[in-house]
Amino acid sequence: MDDMLDQLEAIIRDRRRNPATGSYTSRLFTEGREKIAQKVGEEAVEVLVAALRQSPDEQLDELADLFYHTLVLMVDLGVSLDDVKRRLRERHQAR
């Protein structure tokens, strides 16, 4: 697993199966899908604000937060990165 997103997905899946005390990821799963979805929305807004008003370094931080929270939501929904990659390939091939 060389890809960081794949590694992060595996860590998130493990936190769901094996909650760890003090883990932010475990806490998100405990709080439920509504909270996870809310965090994705908040992070998306923060990405927009950063894109318009913040430094490239801050933009990168916000994008990373959005990717992380999106992965948490995906795991909660039972969707994998491979599923998303497959869908993107299907869309590309349909053109």
Side-chain angles (χ1 to χ4, degrees), residues 2-3 12 29 40 42-43 45 49 52 54 56-58 64 67 69-70 75 78 81 85 88 90-91 93:
D2 293 333
D3 185 271
I12 292 167
F29 285 123
V40 171
E42 289 172 9
E43 295 302 337
V45 169
V49 170
L52 298 173
Q54 295 178 345
D57 195 51
E58 292 167 314
F67 271 72
H69 285 91
T70 300
V75 168
L81 274 172
K85 291 174 189 177
L88 290 169
E90 290 168 0
R91 288 180 179 179
Q93 292 169 352

Side-chain angles (χ1 to χ4, degrees), residues 2-10 67-68 71 81 85:
D2 293 333
D3 185 271
M4 186 62 220
L5 288 177
D6 291 323
Q7 290 177 31
L8 185 56
E9 179 186 30
F67 271 72
Y68 161 77
L71 282 172
L81 274 172
K85 291 174 189 177

Side-chain angles (χ1 to χ4, degrees), residues 35-47 66 69 73:
K35 179 63 174 181
I36 297 167
Q38 176 186 349
K39 287 302 294 179
V40 171
E42 289 172 9
E43 295 302 337
V45 169
E46 290 175 14
V47 165
L66 178 58
H69 285 91
L73 181 59

